[in-house]
């Protein structure tokens, strides 16, 4: 096994968003230098980094120059083009390796890979044309969700379809192209498992988180998830299978639908730390970002036990800025609340600007307090 990349080394991140920012904060705390490669400047990650390189992902000379100057490359944004990852991997190890990234960049590819691993996914069909959509609808049934195969996240490029008459509208709404039609899963809850796998194959799995969405965007995450022991074990088995199946060195998140009766279906895999894991920064022995640092550097993984019986995280979207400047002081009047802002200059509706988190004695209390704090921010 190659020797570990020790503190003092330079870690390269492709992508400049909040996930890169929180990775950089964890890495800097441990004494690493972090360089960020992104097509914009003054990015959330770049603000924390030792060096911010502004260039297009298609500028492969710039990517090669970047990779030459760092000890390892990771990414915080899953839509980094495959060619960019390949160019980087000629000069530095890229962790996780491109295979996982490639599979998760396209929904159909991802579902096929999950099925190959023997993992459960929702009934779905591949679509390339309006005619195929009509045929697929007979097979999948209604209600259904039509999703673009590529570049979708947070419910973007998705249309819900209740009956046959809506197929044409939905096809137009997502802009045509390669797509997947999925049955609308009547889930009881959405949960996620975040896991890390080290260079030596060791695995650390956080307990499942319970996720509540608003408008297809994660709104609140809570733990414990209030699930049975059997569901917890099965959710973690699935995450382990993905980590091992893709031979991952790094962190990933498996998003799952929990059905009545306890069955689990994989909705999506994120090949990186995930919004539902932000609570681990304040609530767990080792955060998901520190696990990513440890994994990609070939260090032993940290403990993933929670520091309290319960915790919760609430996202702060740009919508909060609509009527007035957010009153951060009001959120902090609960002394247990932790405020995280991502340094984004421009608030836009639906844009993730930051989050709040809290630990507590019960999941109910944690959720109540994090929601109350967010309401107080909005009210002023
Ligand atoms: P996605 O971008 O696929 O993760 O979708 C975002 C959110 O939309 C999910 O977290 C669910 O709340 C909802 N969603 C997506 N696909 C389905 C489905 N097949 N059935 C029910 N809800 C879904």
């Amino acid at each position: 096994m190659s020797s570990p990349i020790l503190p003092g080394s330079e870690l390269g991140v492709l992508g400049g968003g909040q996930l890169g920012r929180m990775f950089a904060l964890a890495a800097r705390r441990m004494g690493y230098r972090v360089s960020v490669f992104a097509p914009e400047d003054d990015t959330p990650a770049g603000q924390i980094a030792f060096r911010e390189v502004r260039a297009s992902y298609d500028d492969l000379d710039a990517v090669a120059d970047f990779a030459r100057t760092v000890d390892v490359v990771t990414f915080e944004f899953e839509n980094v083009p495959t060619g960019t990852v390949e160019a980087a991997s000629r000069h530095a190890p890229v962790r996780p390796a491109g295979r996982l990234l490639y599979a998760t960049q396209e929904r159909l590819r991802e579902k096929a890979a999950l099925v190959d691993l023997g993992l459960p996914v929702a009934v779905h069909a591949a679509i390339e044309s309006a005619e195929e959509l009509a045929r697929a609808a007979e097979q999948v049934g209604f209600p259904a969700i039509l999703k673009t195969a590529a570049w979708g996240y947070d419910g973007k490029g998705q249309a819900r379809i209740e009956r046959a008459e809506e197929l044409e509208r939905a096809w137009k709404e997502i802009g045509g192209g390669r797509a997947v039609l999925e049955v609308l899963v009547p889930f009881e809850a959405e949960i996620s498992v975040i896991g890390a796998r080290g260079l030596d194959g060791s695995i650390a799995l956080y307990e499942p988180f319970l996720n509540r969405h608003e408008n297809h965007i994660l709104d609140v995450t809570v733990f414990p998830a209030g699930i049975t022991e059997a569901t917890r074990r099965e959710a973690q088995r699935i995450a382990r299978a993905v980590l091992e199946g893709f031979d991952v060195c790094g962190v990933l998140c498996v998003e799952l639908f929990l059905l009545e009766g306890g069955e689990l279906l994989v909705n999506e895999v994120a090949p990186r730390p995930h919004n539902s894991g932000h609570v681990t920064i304040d609530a767990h022995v080792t955060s998901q970002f520190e696990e990513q640092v440890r994994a990609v550097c070939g260090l032993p993984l940290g403990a993933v036990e929670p520091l309290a019986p319960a915790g919760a995280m609430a996202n702060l979207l740009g919508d909060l800025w609509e009527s007035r400047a957010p009153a951060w002081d009001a959120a902090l009047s609960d002394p247990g609340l932790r405020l995280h802002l991502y340094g984004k200059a421009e608030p836009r509706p639906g844009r993730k600007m930051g989050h709040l988190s809290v630990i507590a004695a019960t999941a109910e209390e944690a959720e109540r307090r994090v929601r109350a704090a967010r309401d107080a921010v909005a009210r002023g």
Side-chain angles (χ1 to χ4, degrees), residues 34-354:
V34 177
S35 291
V36 168
F37 185 104
E40 309 89 30
D41 44 29
D42 193 31
T43 60
Q47 291 164 13
I48 306 296
F50 158 74
R51 194 162 59 98
E52 184 174 36
V53 174
R54 180 182 180 171
S56 155
Y57 293 123
D58 300 323
D59 182 348
L60 299 186
D61 291 333
V63 172
D65 286 344
F66 178 77
R68 261 187 223 109
T69 59
V70 298
D71 297 285
V72 63
V73 172
T74 188
F75 46 84
E76 64 96 46
F77 168 64
E78 66 251 54
N79 289 321
V80 173
T82 314
T84 307
V85 174
E86 265 167 30
S89 66
R90 271 182 231 121
H91 305 282
V94 177
R95 295 177 184 153
R99 195 157 82 81
L100 175 68
L101 189 68
Y102 179 75
T104 56
Q105 278 176 347
E106 216 246 14
R107 291 184 191 277
L108 286 163
R109 237 169 14 222
E110 178 176 305
K111 285 202 197 299
L114 292 167
V115 170
D116 277 352
L117 291 174
L119 299 176
V121 299
V123 171
H124 66 279
I127 317 281
E128 304 249 7
S129 67
E131 295 71 49
E132 275 182 18
L133 176 59
R135 244 177 291 136
E138 285 170 23
Q139 179 193 333
V140 169
F142 298 108
I145 300 191
L146 182 64
K147 302 178 178 181
T148 51
W151 301 100
Y153 64 95
D154 285 348
K156 293 192 174 73
Q158 296 194 12
R160 192 175 156 144
I161 309 174
E162 303 289 341
R163 53 190 159 270
E165 297 73 57
E166 293 172 8
L167 288 169
E168 207 178 303
R169 170 199 53 84
W171 182 247
K172 288 206 183 102
E173 209 173 300
I174 67 154
R178 205 168 140 75
V180 54
L181 185 71
E182 252 177 63
V183 67
L184 185 83
V185 177
F187 58 77
E188 234 178 27
E190 292 187 75
I191 63 174
S192 55
V193 177
I194 292 171
R197 187 162 177 266
L199 203 51
D200 62 355
S202 57
I203 285 179
L205 299 168
Y206 292 89
E207 68 173 290
F209 298 126
L210 176 71
N211 299 320
R212 304 191 198 282
H213 291 77
E214 286 290 332
N215 304 320
H216 299 277
I217 302 177
L218 182 65
D219 184 41
V220 168
T221 293
V222 178
F223 79 83
I227 54 178
T228 64
E229 179 57 20
T231 301
R232 183 189 66 75
R233 250 187 284 121
E234 173 62 3
Q236 291 188 328
R237 181 193 71 81
I238 292 172
R240 181 182 292 274
V242 179
L243 284 163
E244 287 176 343
F246 284 96
D247 193 19
V248 171
C249 172
V251 169
L252 60 68
C253 174
V254 180
E255 294 177 60
L256 300 150
F257 295 132
L258 173 60
L259 309 189
E260 207 185 354
E263 190 189 346
L264 287 170
L265 297 176
V266 180
N267 174 33
E268 264 191 335
V269 175
R272 47 161 175 78
H274 187 256
N275 195 168
S276 62
H278 293 358
V279 71
T280 62
I281 299 174
D282 300 315
H284 292 71
V285 176
T286 312
S287 77
Q288 62 169 349
F289 300 102
E290 183 173 332
E291 288 292 42
Q292 189 185 13
V293 173
R294 288 171 176 245
V296 304
C297 290
L299 296 175
L301 299 177
V304 289
E305 280 71 37
L307 295 164
M313 181 284 317
N315 267 336
L316 301 167
L317 300 184
D319 310 58
L320 268 180
W321 275 251
E322 263 184 348
S323 50
R324 56 162 81 199
W328 304 121
D329 49 340
L332 300 179
S333 66
D334 177 341
L337 252 289
R338 311 297 299 273
L339 171 66
H340 300 251
L341 289 171
Y342 307 147
K344 297 183 185 179
E346 202 193 320
R348 285 193 298 270
R351 189 173 197 208
K352 290 173 179 171
M353 303 296 289

